[in-house]
Amino acid sequence: MIRLAAALAALLLAAACGVGAQARIPAPPLGAPQPPATEPVAVAADPAPPTENPPSLVPPPAAPETVPSTPPPALIAPAPASAALPPLPAVPAAAVAPARAPTIALQVGLTRRPGVLVFAVTATGLAPGSHATHVHLGCSGSTTTHLLALVPLTPGPAGSASGVSVVGAGGLPPGTTVIVYPGPQPVGDPVACFRVA
């Protein structure tokens, strides 16, 4: 038993010192009783002590790109060529200035001769067509104020017309006026008047 205990102590000492994975028990001397056979004991090698900071096989992450603080100017996309333009707003009727009627200027020259009166009438700005020309009492187209009928005025392309009328001599009351009607007939209000007396 003493020899068996010594063999076990030697085996434990060899395992502690890392001599080998298996120890052999020395053979007993001749003539000594054989100890019972023992199975070999596997002793694991001491693992390497872990390091405090093992090297990492993963590469460090790349530094993020620096973004400029000022954003680039925005690009303005051109309008497509086929885009329809918005309709123009309608102009209110009140904002449209009415067409101004041409200004009619009337001049009358009265000449007294023995037994006759001569009326030389000139007008500008008349509308195309013939215009009846009369002598009335006041600037009125009423038939109740009619005194004399003169030669009608027919303007040219520029609206100018002239005519000479010779009538019998007679007294002209105050307010005697030469008037021009808007058309060939003595109807409606006169478009021009010129007082001669």
Side-chain angles (χ1 to χ4, degrees), residues 7-187:
L8 289 176
L11 181 61
L12 292 176
L13 181 61
C17 296
V19 174
Q22 185 177 359
R24 295 181 181 273
I25 301 175
L30 296 177
Q34 297 292 332
T38 60
E39 296 181 358
V41 179
V43 178
D46 293 339
T51 59
E52 294 182 359
N53 296 317
S56 175
L57 299 179
V58 180
E65 297 181 358
T66 303
V67 179
S69 59
T70 303
L75 297 178
I76 302 176
S82 60
L85 296 176
L88 296 176
V91 179
V96 179
R100 298 182 58 184
T103 302
I104 300 175
L106 182 63
Q107 295 291 329
V108 179
L110 178 59
T111 303
R112 297 178 183 269
R113 293 180 182 177
V116 296
L117 296 175
V118 180
F119 291 87
V121 181
T122 303
T124 57
L126 292 176
S130 179
H131 297 267
T133 305
H134 287 190
V135 177
H136 280 220
L137 187 59
C139 186
S140 171
S142 174
T143 56
T144 60
T145 61
H146 174 77
L147 298 177
L148 297 169
L150 304 180
V151 175
L153 298 177
T154 303
S160 300
S162 61
V164 177
S165 301
V166 179
V167 297
L172 297 177
T176 300
T177 304
V178 176
I179 66 172
V180 178
Y181 283 96
Q185 300 299 325
V187 177

